[in-house]
Amino acid sequence: MKKLIVFLALVSVMIFSLSCMSDAQTMNNDQTLDARQQSIVTIAAFTANGDLEDLSAALNEGLDAGLTVNEIKEVLVQLYAYAGFPRSLNALNVFMSVMKAREAKGIKDVAGKEASPLSTDKSRLELGTEIQTRLSGSPVAGEIYTFAPAIDQFLKSHLFADIFGRDNLDFQSREIATIAALSSMKGVNPQLQAHFRIGMNTGLTKAQMNSLVSVLKSKVGKPEADNAAEVLNKVLSNK
């Protein structure tokens, strides 16, 4: 009987320890971006600012952290909408070189999921409006869209339908990439502020946003991180 009591006590201690470890892991995941997400930050930042040498290293780190080839391609393609075709095309060229070098070393990276065809049940404008509204938390309207209706249509039909509607990269990852890219560009703080809010709408926490800023500071540059932190603080103070 005594041995049974001791055994049950040991089992209870083990269960409690495992529970604590699980809670600690959950807390850690909630407090910081994981390695995969941190790699999206650096890949997006170096794509946007045109630092191709550091981008090459970031791409290798991203693959090693578990990003698939198609996820990285998707980040680089998406960023043309924010940083322009030249930056996106240059980044894709660097990625091709990285892939060739890794293949020559015998490294086999996971290709990952291809994007599914867009829904045919809705027009691209309807789909884009739905995605934009979901990410923003409410329908998007403003004087600028009345002044230039074409930009409203392009944002909905192209950015949010054609790009964000592709399902081989989740919305959180897309927002991490967008925030990192905008943080690495000058003169786009209104858009950065909007995407910090959208990022939180996808479930990214305050701690994870601060983690993103920390990655910018340690890997990209202090001025970029300081500006991002200032914008983030404005967003948080207005919530």
Side-chain angles (χ1 to χ4, degrees):
M1 184 68 178
K2 184 176 180 181
K3 289 182 177 179
L4 177 61
I5 293 174
V6 172
F7 173 75
L8 291 175
L10 288 172
V11 170
S12 297
V13 170
M14 290 175 64
I15 292 173
F16 177 75
S17 299
L18 289 171
S19 176
C20 289
M21 289 172 63
S22 177
D23 289 344
Q25 182 65 40
T26 300
M27 181 178 294
N28 181 64
N29 287 342
D30 186 54
Q31 295 301 313
T32 62
L33 298 179
D34 61 30
R36 173 185 167 280
Q37 292 170 321
Q38 290 182 35
S39 290
I40 291 175
V41 173
T42 53
I43 289 170
F46 294 134
T47 294
N49 68 16
D51 185 347
L52 301 184
E53 183 176 347
D54 282 331
L55 174 61
S56 179
L59 290 166
N60 275 291
E61 290 172 2
L63 290 167
D64 292 339
L67 286 172
T68 69
V69 174
N70 284 332
E71 285 174 332
I72 292 177
K73 284 182 187 177
E74 196 67 22
V75 168
L76 302 183
V77 170
Q78 175 186 313
L79 290 183
Y80 100 80
Y82 298 95
F85 272 115
R87 298 289 198 204
S88 180
L89 291 170
N90 287 345
L92 286 165
N93 274 318
V94 171
F95 191 31
M96 283 194 296
S97 296
V98 166
M99 291 301 302
K100 290 175 183 177
R102 290 172 72 90
E103 289 169 5
K105 294 177 182 177
I107 301 173
K108 295 183 179 180
D109 294 300
V110 178
K113 178 182 176 181
E114 295 279 357
S116 304
L118 292 178
S119 171
T120 56
D121 297 334
K122 302 169 185 174
S123 69
R124 288 165 55 245
L125 181 59
E126 290 172 330
L127 176 62
T129 300
E130 180 182 295
I131 293 173
Q132 184 190 49
T133 302
R134 175 182 170 186
L135 291 175
S136 300
S138 61
V140 176
E143 188 177 5
I144 190 172
Y145 303 119
T146 303
F147 178 69
I151 198 68
D152 186 39
Q153 181 177 342
F154 293 158
L155 281 169
K156 289 180 169 71
S157 299
H158 184 48
L159 178 61
F160 287 103
D162 290 339
I163 299 178
F164 273 69
R166 290 166 60 84
D167 63 358
N168 57 341
L169 192 66
D170 61 82
F171 288 149
Q172 278 195 3
S173 297
R174 290 188 183 279
E175 282 307 313
I176 290 170
T178 303
I179 291 166
L182 293 173
S183 297
S184 304
M185 301 163 62
K186 293 183 178 180
V188 292
N189 278 0
Q191 289 73 31
L192 177 57
Q193 185 170 328
H195 280 281
F196 268 127
R197 288 196 296 267
I198 292 173
M200 291 181 180
N201 289 342
T202 69
L204 291 169
T205 66
K206 173 184 175 182
Q208 287 173 318
M209 292 299 194
N210 283 322
S211 176
L212 190 158
V213 173
S214 295
V215 174
L216 289 173
K217 185 174 182 179
S218 63
K219 297 290 186 69
V220 181
K222 187 174 183 300
E224 292 85 351
D226 288 346
N227 180 66
E230 183 178 346
V231 174
L232 174 59
N233 287 335
K234 288 181 181 178
V235 172
L236 294 173
S237 66
N238 291 328
K239 284 185 70 68

